Amino acid sequence: MANFKTKARAVELLGKGQIADLPTAISELWKNGYDAYAKNLSCDLYIPGYKDVNEPLFCLSDDGWGMNYDDIVSKWIVLGTDSKSRGLHNYMPAQTFGLPQRIPMGEKGIGRLSVAYLGSPMLMLTKKENDICQAVFIDWRILENYNLFIDEVNIPCHTFNDGDDLNSLISKMKLEFLENFNSDKPSDLTWDGQEELREQIINDVTFFAIPDSLIIEFTNLFQGISSHGTKFIISNPNEQLIDLIGYSPLGDSSNSVLEIQRSLTGIFNVFKEIPDFSTSFNILTETGKYNIISDFFDQEDFKYADHHIRGKIDENGMFIG
């Protein structure tokens, strides 16, 4: 009798491999936040020079349900979980934070893997209402090792209370993750022909750090028994995010800015109804904070349009109106 075994690269292929570009990755993660009844979906790119930031740091956040330890180990790191059945749920008002029932946007059970597209290493902070804060640390590039089986990867997951607690915990989690590279691991965990990738991961994990001002800012979000939400913190962000360094609201927008604006401003049909959530993509520099998706055409602008089109598109893609 034989059993299937899964190489770690399967996660890379199922997750990052199915994501077309950076805005798609962000949209998939925002959809997960929407499904968790978040009211605020945001991205924040911290540029060197902002407070005590020395290296670019990217964060994606939502104030949805958040997760406890059981949610992380039984759902978040389990591929293909169908925790969202199609259609409406019969949630109580307290479970939806007073919001109307939502039809889930996320469907495949792998949208959470979109975070790998944003960069590595990654620290996830998450908290469920009336529960303790959780922290998860991983460098997704370890899954590119074609000799590694997925059940051989150790993903540190711990609880924390405040900024001081989190600061010391980050050091502990980095050491735990680096245990994946110890020479006494099983023979399957080899890096033959991949030594450069191995050294790059070890180096980036070793030097992963969050500036003190942001440690305070991030942990403040999770203070109080009633707080809830999830925040992904990425060092060494995706190259398209690095292209945003030097952005100025008064200057010409780069191709990266235009692509993000076009993709993320259309996550919801504002002409059908006013959404019960907000989105923002902030660039934080020493000169200020700029939301690059704040100027989208809205319902008020629509009133002044020269032409109004009314109609329907049928199942064959034909417009009648």
Side-chain angles (χ1 to χ4, degrees):
M1 181 176 178
N3 296 317
F4 277 111
K5 296 189 73 175
T6 306
K7 290 282 191 176
R9 285 187 70 245
V11 180
E12 177 85 358
L13 297 172
L14 287 170
K16 186 177 177 181
Q18 289 200 56
I19 302 300
D21 51 29
L22 177 71
T24 302
I26 292 172
S27 294
E28 288 299 316
L29 291 164
W30 275 359
K31 287 177 184 178
N32 286 350
Y34 173 88
D35 293 345
Y37 285 86
K39 296 179 182 179
N40 299 287
L41 306 170
S42 65
C43 291
D44 295 287
L45 178 62
Y46 297 91
I47 304 298
Y50 175 79
K51 295 185 176 180
D52 53 348
V53 175
N54 295 317
E55 299 290 339
L57 200 68
F58 181 70
C59 299
L60 185 146
S61 312
D62 71 70
D63 58 355
W65 289 326
M67 291 176 281
N68 58 24
Y69 180 79
D70 289 340
D71 293 328
I72 293 170
V73 300
S74 65
K75 296 177 184 177
W76 194 75
I77 60 175
V78 178
L79 301 185
T81 51
D82 192 18
S83 56
K84 306 172 188 172
S85 60
R86 307 299 172 256
L88 291 171
H89 294 265
N90 292 318
Y91 292 127
M92 300 297 290
Q95 294 175 285
T96 67
F97 310 118
L99 297 172
Q101 296 281 318
R102 290 175 174 176
I103 297 176
M105 288 188 185
E107 297 181 352
K108 299 179 181 178
I110 58 172
R112 76 211 71 167
L113 300 178
S114 302
V115 71
Y117 203 97
L118 304 181
S120 281
M122 180 213 81
L123 175 68
M124 178 177 75
L125 308 180
T126 185
K127 181 183 178 297
K128 209 165 187 173
E129 195 173 25
N130 302 320
D131 217 315
I132 194 167
C133 308
Q134 305 286 334
V136 177
F137 184 84
I138 187 173
D139 189 310
W140 296 99
R141 292 171 297 181
I142 194 172
L143 303 178
E144 296 176 19
N145 186 334
Y146 44 74
N147 294 317
L148 176 64
F149 285 96
I150 195 168
D151 58 355
E152 294 172 335
V153 180
N154 172 42
I155 303 176
C157 178
H158 294 281
T159 61
F160 68 94
N161 295 305
D162 53 32
D164 291 337
D165 206 8
L166 179 59
N167 234 339
S168 59
L169 183 59
I170 291 173
S171 299
K172 178 181 179 181
M173 296 174 82
K174 291 196 300 182
L175 291 175
E176 286 184 14
F177 184 78
L178 290 175
E179 286 292 316
N180 288 300
F181 301 89
N182 280 357
S183 57
D184 59 353
K185 283 284 183 180
S187 58
D188 287 318
L189 184 54
T190 62
W191 291 84
D192 293 341
Q194 303 171 88
E195 292 84 2
E196 185 176 346
L197 175 61
R198 177 182 184 274
E199 292 307 311
Q200 186 65 58
I201 296 172
I202 291 174
N203 181 74
D204 291 343
V205 168
T206 300
F207 289 100
F208 176 88
I210 300 177
D212 291 340
S213 64
L214 298 187
I215 283 278
I216 296 171
E217 181 179 322
F218 296 160
T219 51
N220 282 347
L221 295 173
F222 298 100
Q223 296 303 304
I225 194 69
S226 62
S227 62
H228 50 84
T230 300
K231 178 178 283 289
F232 299 100
I233 304 165
I234 313 291
S235 66
N236 299 328
N238 180 293
E239 289 182 3
Q240 195 172 350
L241 291 168
I242 298 299
D243 288 343
L244 301 181
I245 295 178
Y247 167 81
S248 170
L250 302 177
D252 294 332
S253 294
S254 68
N255 289 335
S256 293
V257 171
L258 293 174
E259 182 179 349
I260 290 171
Q261 288 174 326
R262 283 195 299 263
S263 300
L264 297 185
T265 49
I267 194 172
F268 192 87
N269 184 359
V270 297
F271 305 116
K272 186 175 181 181
E273 58 183 294
I274 298 176
D276 57 5
F277 66 94
S278 65
T279 59
S280 62
F281 192 114
N282 302 306
I283 299 178
L284 297 97
T285 73
E286 59 184 341
T287 59
K289 175 180 178 180
Y290 311 105
N291 180 6
I292 64 175
I293 61 172
S294 63
D295 298 322
F296 185 57
F297 195 81
D298 59 23
Q299 284 188 341
E300 195 63 29
D301 297 319
F302 186 66
K303 295 177 182 178
Y304 303 103
D306 291 336
H307 299 84
H308 287 194
I309 300 174
R310 177 174 296 170
K312 293 183 178 180
I313 300 175
D314 64 20
E315 64 274 10
N316 297 317
M318 295 295 293
F319 175 82
I320 300 174

